[in-house]
Amino acid sequence: MTELLDQAIAALSQLSDVEQDAIARQILGELVGKQAGTTLQQPPKIQRIYTDGACSGNPGPGGWGTVIYFTNGAVHEMGGADAKTTNNRMEMQAAVAALQYLKASGQTDPIELYTDSEYVKNGITQWIKGWKKKGWKTATGKPVLNPDLWQALDSLNSPQVQWRYVRGHSGDVGNERCDTIARAFSLGKTPTLKQLRL
């Protein structure tokens, strides 16, 4: 039994913090439900996700923001920073974080993911197929930029995700909030984020 527990702990340590948190909540929920002899209420479903990236200089200090909207009206926000990066990498990092959260939630219903980056939307929905066929090379034979993040996006993406383009700075509330989060992180500030426990 101890050996199995050690193996389980080792496997969990390989997962991201978001995935570990989701698994811990699920186990705790099952234990509480068994003790109470009841079925716990299902967590709220994700309806749509917004992502954005920002960079002070390109390259330069960058930040990313992700805002997740649930069907019950709840909101969960995430963000982060990188000391030396590009705007495209931050746009992609926001989308990776969004898909990691979606995967950790265990939800299988379709969701809409909004980005104001045509680079991200077109890359994941169109260009990536050709890049993979050519061994991560572009149509001109040059190596694809940011292959680490493209490969992460590719492994997390699924038909469940409906990619949508939204014009930046057009008054869309979700996009504007992501932009505020990303810009704050790119300037070395830590914005107050709405956090939801699944």
Side-chain angles (χ1 to χ4, degrees):
M1 183 69 171
T2 304
E3 186 178 333
L4 282 175
L5 188 56
D6 288 342
Q7 289 174 353
I9 291 169
L12 282 171
S13 69
Q14 301 299 313
L15 299 175
S16 72
D17 290 345
V18 173
E19 292 169 317
Q20 288 179 25
D21 193 42
I23 290 170
R25 283 194 306 271
Q26 183 178 357
I27 292 169
L28 184 60
E30 288 176 10
L31 289 173
V32 171
K34 283 179 184 174
Q35 287 178 352
T38 61
T39 304
L40 294 178
Q41 184 180 2
Q42 290 293 316
K45 291 191 186 264
I46 297 168
Q47 183 177 46
R48 64 191 184 285
I49 303 176
Y50 282 83
T51 65
D52 198 14
C55 209
S56 297
N58 198 16
W64 59 270
T66 300
V67 180
I68 301 160
Y69 292 94
F70 294 83
T71 54
N72 69 351
V75 177
H76 182 78
E77 300 175 334
M78 302 183 293
D82 194 327
K84 188 170 184 185
T85 188
T86 64
N87 193 70
N88 281 342
R89 285 189 68 80
M90 292 295 89
E91 295 278 3
M92 295 172 73
Q93 183 57 58
V96 167
L99 295 183
Q100 286 173 333
Y101 189 92
L102 175 63
K103 182 177 179 182
S105 77
Q107 179 172 319
T108 56
D109 292 348
I111 63 106
E112 294 180 324
L113 192 152
Y114 291 86
T115 175
D116 64 6
S117 168
E118 292 187 82
Y119 173 70
V120 171
K121 182 190 177 285
N122 292 337
I124 196 64
T125 61
Q126 299 171 35
W127 306 334
I128 201 163
K129 297 172 189 115
W131 293 341
K132 287 165 68 176
K133 283 182 187 172
K134 293 182 168 93
W136 295 99
K137 300 237 191 278
T138 66
T140 59
K142 294 180 181 177
V144 171
L145 296 177
N146 308 310
D148 56 329
L149 292 172
W150 282 121
Q151 289 166 12
L153 275 175
D154 185 45
S155 70
L156 292 163
N157 193 28
S158 74
Q160 170 188 13
V161 181
Q162 299 166 15
W163 292 84
R164 304 278 188 252
Y165 173 75
V166 60
R167 185 177 297 282
H169 312 290
S170 62
D172 183 291
V173 174
N175 176 257
E176 296 291 346
R177 179 59 184 151
C178 281
D179 181 66
T180 299
I181 294 168
R183 280 152 118 347
F185 277 112
S186 75
L187 297 171
K189 299 175 184 173
T190 304
T192 302
L193 302 176
K194 295 177 186 173
Q195 298 282 289
L196 176 71
R197 290 277 176 200
L198 288 181

